[in-house]
Short mmCIF file of all heavy atoms in Angstrom, two decimals:
data_model
loop_
_atom_site.label_atom_id
_atom_site.label_comp_id
_atom_site.label_asym_id
_atom_site.label_seq_id
_atom_site.Cartn_x
_atom_site.Cartn_y
_atom_site.Cartn_z
N TYR A 4 176.95 115.08 -48.44
CA TYR A 4 176.33 114.83 -47.17
C TYR A 4 175.07 113.97 -47.29
O TYR A 4 174.59 113.70 -48.43
CB TYR A 4 175.97 116.13 -46.44
CG TYR A 4 174.96 117.01 -47.24
CD1 TYR A 4 173.63 116.86 -46.97
CD2 TYR A 4 175.35 117.95 -48.14
CE1 TYR A 4 172.66 117.65 -47.66
CE2 TYR A 4 174.50 118.74 -48.82
CZ TYR A 4 173.09 118.56 -48.56
OH TYR A 4 172.21 119.32 -49.27
N SER A 5 174.53 113.58 -46.17
CA SER A 5 173.26 112.75 -46.12
C SER A 5 172.36 113.37 -45.02
O SER A 5 172.91 113.73 -43.97
CB SER A 5 173.49 111.32 -45.84
OG SER A 5 174.33 110.71 -46.81
N ILE A 6 171.05 113.32 -45.28
CA ILE A 6 170.12 113.65 -44.20
C ILE A 6 169.09 112.52 -44.14
O ILE A 6 168.38 112.23 -45.09
CB ILE A 6 169.31 114.96 -44.56
CG1 ILE A 6 170.35 116.12 -44.68
CG2 ILE A 6 168.28 115.27 -43.47
CD1 ILE A 6 169.72 117.41 -45.05
N GLU A 7 169.06 111.82 -42.98
CA GLU A 7 168.20 110.73 -42.71
C GLU A 7 167.13 111.11 -41.87
O GLU A 7 167.33 111.87 -40.86
CB GLU A 7 169.06 109.56 -42.05
CG GLU A 7 168.35 108.29 -41.81
CD GLU A 7 169.25 107.25 -41.16
OE1 GLU A 7 170.19 107.68 -40.51
OE2 GLU A 7 168.92 106.07 -41.36
N ALA A 8 165.87 110.71 -42.11
CA ALA A 8 164.77 111.10 -41.25
C ALA A 8 163.60 110.22 -41.44
O ALA A 8 163.46 109.46 -42.46
CB ALA A 8 164.28 112.51 -41.61
N TRP A 9 162.76 110.12 -40.45
CA TRP A 9 161.51 109.44 -40.53
C TRP A 9 160.38 110.47 -40.77
O TRP A 9 160.32 111.47 -40.00
CB TRP A 9 161.18 108.56 -39.33
CG TRP A 9 161.98 107.35 -39.23
CD1 TRP A 9 163.19 107.20 -38.73
CD2 TRP A 9 161.57 106.03 -39.66
NE1 TRP A 9 163.66 105.91 -38.81
CE2 TRP A 9 162.69 105.11 -39.39
CE3 TRP A 9 160.43 105.56 -40.30
CZ2 TRP A 9 162.66 103.77 -39.70
CZ3 TRP A 9 160.38 104.14 -40.59
CH2 TRP A 9 161.52 103.37 -40.24
N ILE A 10 159.47 110.24 -41.74
CA ILE A 10 158.37 111.20 -41.91
C ILE A 10 157.02 110.47 -41.94
O ILE A 10 156.94 109.26 -42.24
CB ILE A 10 158.57 111.96 -43.26
CG1 ILE A 10 158.45 110.99 -44.44
CG2 ILE A 10 159.90 112.71 -43.24
CD1 ILE A 10 158.47 111.68 -45.80
N TRP A 11 156.01 111.22 -41.60
CA TRP A 11 154.60 110.78 -41.44
C TRP A 11 153.76 111.72 -42.22
O TRP A 11 153.33 112.70 -41.64
CB TRP A 11 154.22 110.63 -39.98
CG TRP A 11 152.95 110.08 -39.57
CD1 TRP A 11 152.71 108.81 -39.27
CD2 TRP A 11 151.68 110.75 -39.41
NE1 TRP A 11 151.36 108.59 -38.91
CE2 TRP A 11 150.70 109.82 -38.97
CE3 TRP A 11 151.27 112.11 -39.58
CZ2 TRP A 11 149.39 110.17 -38.73
CZ3 TRP A 11 149.92 112.48 -39.32
CH2 TRP A 11 149.03 111.49 -38.91
N PRO A 12 153.62 111.53 -43.54
CA PRO A 12 152.84 112.51 -44.32
C PRO A 12 151.37 112.64 -43.77
O PRO A 12 150.74 111.65 -43.62
CB PRO A 12 152.86 111.97 -45.75
CG PRO A 12 154.05 110.99 -45.80
CD PRO A 12 154.09 110.44 -44.37
N GLY A 13 150.92 113.84 -43.55
CA GLY A 13 149.61 114.09 -43.06
C GLY A 13 148.56 114.24 -44.18
O GLY A 13 147.41 114.10 -43.95
N VAL A 14 149.08 114.52 -45.36
CA VAL A 14 148.17 114.71 -46.56
C VAL A 14 148.87 114.00 -47.73
O VAL A 14 150.08 113.68 -47.74
CB VAL A 14 147.99 116.17 -46.88
CG1 VAL A 14 147.27 116.90 -45.77
CG2 VAL A 14 149.30 116.88 -47.19
N GLU A 15 148.09 113.75 -48.81
CA GLU A 15 148.61 113.10 -49.98
C GLU A 15 149.53 113.94 -50.79
O GLU A 15 149.44 115.19 -50.86
CB GLU A 15 147.44 112.60 -50.89
CG GLU A 15 146.61 111.55 -50.27
CD GLU A 15 145.51 111.09 -51.19
OE1 GLU A 15 145.44 111.71 -52.27
OE2 GLU A 15 144.74 110.17 -50.86
N LYS A 16 150.65 113.39 -51.26
CA LYS A 16 151.54 113.98 -52.22
C LYS A 16 152.14 115.28 -51.67
O LYS A 16 152.23 116.32 -52.30
CB LYS A 16 150.82 114.31 -53.56
CG LYS A 16 150.48 113.04 -54.27
CD LYS A 16 149.86 113.38 -55.66
CE LYS A 16 149.48 112.09 -56.33
NZ LYS A 16 148.93 112.35 -57.77
N THR A 17 152.57 115.20 -50.37
CA THR A 17 153.23 116.38 -49.79
C THR A 17 154.67 116.38 -50.09
O THR A 17 155.28 115.22 -50.15
CB THR A 17 153.00 116.42 -48.28
OG1 THR A 17 153.52 117.59 -47.68
CG2 THR A 17 153.61 115.16 -47.56
N PRO A 18 155.42 117.46 -50.44
CA PRO A 18 156.76 117.34 -50.86
C PRO A 18 157.75 117.19 -49.72
O PRO A 18 157.63 117.79 -48.69
CB PRO A 18 156.93 118.71 -51.59
CG PRO A 18 155.96 119.66 -50.89
CD PRO A 18 154.81 118.76 -50.55
N TRP A 19 158.80 116.35 -49.94
CA TRP A 19 159.90 116.16 -49.05
C TRP A 19 161.13 116.39 -49.82
O TRP A 19 161.46 115.66 -50.75
CB TRP A 19 159.81 114.81 -48.39
CG TRP A 19 160.88 114.55 -47.35
CD1 TRP A 19 161.95 113.68 -47.42
CD2 TRP A 19 161.09 115.19 -46.05
NE1 TRP A 19 162.71 113.71 -46.27
CE2 TRP A 19 162.16 114.66 -45.40
CE3 TRP A 19 160.26 116.17 -45.41
CZ2 TRP A 19 162.54 115.09 -44.12
CZ3 TRP A 19 160.66 116.56 -44.09
CH2 TRP A 19 161.77 115.98 -43.50
N PHE A 20 161.89 117.43 -49.58
CA PHE A 20 163.08 117.88 -50.36
C PHE A 20 162.59 117.99 -51.80
O PHE A 20 163.34 117.57 -52.72
CB PHE A 20 164.17 116.93 -50.18
CG PHE A 20 164.81 117.04 -48.82
CD1 PHE A 20 164.76 116.01 -47.94
CD2 PHE A 20 165.47 118.22 -48.44
CE1 PHE A 20 165.33 116.11 -46.69
CE2 PHE A 20 166.02 118.29 -47.14
CZ PHE A 20 166.03 117.25 -46.29
N GLY A 21 161.49 118.57 -52.09
CA GLY A 21 161.05 118.86 -53.43
C GLY A 21 160.48 117.72 -54.23
O GLY A 21 160.10 117.85 -55.35
N VAL A 22 160.34 116.56 -53.55
CA VAL A 22 159.73 115.41 -54.20
C VAL A 22 158.43 115.02 -53.56
O VAL A 22 158.43 114.84 -52.27
CB VAL A 22 160.75 114.18 -54.13
CG1 VAL A 22 160.13 112.96 -54.81
CG2 VAL A 22 162.06 114.55 -54.75
N GLU A 23 157.38 114.82 -54.29
CA GLU A 23 156.09 114.50 -53.82
C GLU A 23 156.14 113.08 -53.18
O GLU A 23 156.49 112.15 -53.95
CB GLU A 23 155.04 114.63 -54.83
CG GLU A 23 154.65 116.05 -55.14
CD GLU A 23 153.40 116.07 -56.08
OE1 GLU A 23 152.96 115.06 -56.53
OE2 GLU A 23 152.87 117.18 -56.28
N ILE A 24 155.74 112.89 -51.96
CA ILE A 24 155.75 111.66 -51.27
C ILE A 24 154.38 110.99 -51.45
O ILE A 24 153.43 111.56 -50.99
CB ILE A 24 156.18 111.76 -49.81
CG1 ILE A 24 157.55 112.40 -49.65
CG2 ILE A 24 156.13 110.39 -49.10
CD1 ILE A 24 158.67 111.64 -50.29
N ASP A 25 154.38 109.88 -52.11
CA ASP A 25 153.02 109.15 -52.36
C ASP A 25 153.19 107.75 -51.94
O ASP A 25 152.84 106.78 -52.67
CB ASP A 25 152.71 109.33 -53.85
CG ASP A 25 151.25 108.91 -54.18
OD1 ASP A 25 150.43 108.99 -53.19
OD2 ASP A 25 150.93 108.62 -55.32
N GLU A 26 153.67 107.63 -50.75
CA GLU A 26 153.99 106.23 -50.18
C GLU A 26 152.93 105.78 -49.20
O GLU A 26 153.12 104.80 -48.55
CB GLU A 26 155.39 106.15 -49.49
CG GLU A 26 156.49 106.55 -50.46
CD GLU A 26 156.78 105.51 -51.48
OE1 GLU A 26 156.68 104.33 -51.15
OE2 GLU A 26 157.13 105.88 -52.62
N GLY A 27 151.86 106.58 -48.96
CA GLY A 27 150.88 106.31 -47.98
C GLY A 27 150.87 107.23 -46.86
O GLY A 27 151.88 107.51 -46.23
N THR A 28 149.68 107.95 -46.70
CA THR A 28 149.57 108.96 -45.66
C THR A 28 149.35 108.32 -44.35
O THR A 28 148.93 107.22 -44.18
CB THR A 28 148.41 109.92 -45.98
OG1 THR A 28 147.23 109.17 -46.05
CG2 THR A 28 148.62 110.61 -47.33
N LYS A 29 149.76 109.11 -43.30
CA LYS A 29 149.59 108.76 -41.89
C LYS A 29 150.21 107.46 -41.51
O LYS A 29 149.64 106.63 -40.84
CB LYS A 29 148.07 108.72 -41.53
CG LYS A 29 147.45 110.15 -41.74
CD LYS A 29 145.99 110.26 -41.39
CE LYS A 29 145.48 111.63 -41.59
NZ LYS A 29 144.00 111.78 -41.32
N GLN A 30 151.33 107.27 -42.15
CA GLN A 30 152.22 106.11 -41.87
C GLN A 30 153.67 106.55 -41.82
O GLN A 30 154.01 107.55 -42.52
CB GLN A 30 152.11 105.01 -42.99
CG GLN A 30 150.77 104.44 -43.21
CD GLN A 30 150.72 103.51 -44.38
OE1 GLN A 30 151.59 102.75 -44.61
NE2 GLN A 30 149.63 103.58 -45.17
N TRP A 31 154.53 105.88 -41.04
CA TRP A 31 155.86 106.28 -40.91
C TRP A 31 156.71 105.71 -42.12
O TRP A 31 156.51 104.51 -42.41
CB TRP A 31 156.43 105.86 -39.57
CG TRP A 31 156.05 106.71 -38.47
CD1 TRP A 31 155.19 106.40 -37.53
CD2 TRP A 31 156.47 108.08 -38.17
NE1 TRP A 31 154.97 107.41 -36.61
CE2 TRP A 31 155.77 108.50 -37.06
CE3 TRP A 31 157.34 108.91 -38.83
CZ2 TRP A 31 155.98 109.76 -36.49
CZ3 TRP A 31 157.52 110.27 -38.27
CH2 TRP A 31 156.83 110.60 -37.11
N HIS A 32 157.55 106.54 -42.66
CA HIS A 32 158.41 106.16 -43.75
C HIS A 32 159.85 106.66 -43.50
O HIS A 32 160.09 107.78 -43.04
CB HIS A 32 157.95 106.75 -45.11
CG HIS A 32 156.55 106.39 -45.44
ND1 HIS A 32 156.16 105.11 -45.89
CD2 HIS A 32 155.38 107.14 -45.42
CE1 HIS A 32 154.87 105.09 -46.14
NE2 HIS A 32 154.40 106.26 -45.79
N HIS A 33 160.77 105.77 -43.81
CA HIS A 33 162.23 106.07 -43.61
C HIS A 33 162.72 106.80 -44.91
O HIS A 33 162.42 106.31 -45.95
CB HIS A 33 163.06 104.87 -43.28
CG HIS A 33 164.49 105.08 -43.22
ND1 HIS A 33 165.40 105.08 -44.32
CD2 HIS A 33 165.23 105.37 -42.09
CE1 HIS A 33 166.61 105.33 -43.85
NE2 HIS A 33 166.55 105.46 -42.55
#
């Protein structure tokens, strides 16, 4: 399966499906 979503991290290195997102806070990411 696939899960597609847009996320806007509010803090640095917050996990998304167990992976720390370090792509820029307070910005939208696909």
Side-chain angles (χ1 to χ4, degrees):
Y4 62 90
S5 301
I6 300 176
E7 183 180 27
W9 286 86
I10 64 172
W11 185 94
V14 296
E15 294 183 354
K16 297 183 178 180
T17 185
W19 184 248
F20 289 112
V22 179
E23 287 189 350
I24 302 300
D25 195 17
E26 302 287 325
T28 60
K29 299 182 180 179
Q30 301 174 39
W31 284 107
H32 303 285
H33 179 270

